[in-house]
Structures are given as C-alpha cells and as structure tokens.
C-alpha cells in the first residue's frame, strides 16, 4: 500500500527562456503566482535563464551568459 500525499503534485506550466523569449509547455512540481496565456489557456509561468532553444550544446552556437557575476568575482579575487 502506497502512502498518500507522499509525492508532490505536478501540473502544466509554461517555461519561458529569458535569454531569447521562447516559451514551451511542460509539467513541473514547481509553480508560480505569475501566469501567462499560452495557446488559449492560462498557465503558471516559470522563467529560466537557459533552455534547449538557447543552450550552446543544442544550438551549436557559442554563447556566454553570466547571470551571477561569477567572472567578475573571479577577476576581482585574483586581480585580473
């Protein structure tokens, strides 16, 4: 017998790639208070920095994304 309420619920959400504006529908346990209309339906929207439409591995294009400032922190730390 399986325990009830053990696994989180999941549902449809729209993932929005913030680097190129692409949107696609998927399922996730994560949700958002922000919603968006996608293909005539309203869904919670999850914003992501990189998706398969912008990742260099999938697109074959080299692209540098530094959202967190890691490069600047590294240069500052080592006086570069």
């Amino acid at each position: 017998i399986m325990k009830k309420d053990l696994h989180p619920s999941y549902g449809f959400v729209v993932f929005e790639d913030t680097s190129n504006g692409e949107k696609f529908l998927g399922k996730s346990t994560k949700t958002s208070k922000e919603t968006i209309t996608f293909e005539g339906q309203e869904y919670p929207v999850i914003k992501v920095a990189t998706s398969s439409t912008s990742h260099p591995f999938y697109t074959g294009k080299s692209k540098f994304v530094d959202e967190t400032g890691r490069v600047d922190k590294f240069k500052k730390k080592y006086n570069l």
Side-chain angles (χ1 to χ4, degrees):
I1 298 174
M2 292 184 65
K3 293 181 181 179
K4 290 187 177 199
D5 300 325
L6 180 65
H7 297 285
S9 61
Y10 67 96
F12 286 104
V13 296
V14 172
F15 293 96
E16 181 179 356
D17 188 329
T18 57
S19 66
N20 62 9
E22 290 286 326
K23 299 173 185 74
F24 58 93
L25 186 64
K27 282 191 167 184
S28 177
T29 58
K30 189 170 175 128
T31 188
S32 171
K33 292 180 182 177
E34 189 177 347
T35 60
I36 193 168
T37 302
F38 184 77
E39 296 178 352
Q41 297 272 345
E42 194 164 324
Y43 299 101
V45 63
I46 306 293
K47 295 186 179 188
V48 294
T50 305
S51 71
S52 61
T53 62
S54 64
H55 194 281
F57 180 80
Y58 295 105
T59 62
K61 298 177 185 174
S62 181
K63 181 177 177 184
F64 181 72
V65 178
D66 185 28
E67 268 192 18
T68 59
R70 291 179 291 206
V71 172
D72 293 333
K73 288 178 188 175
F74 179 83
K75 286 181 178 180
K76 185 177 177 183
K77 183 177 180 179
Y78 294 103
N79 295 323
L80 299 175

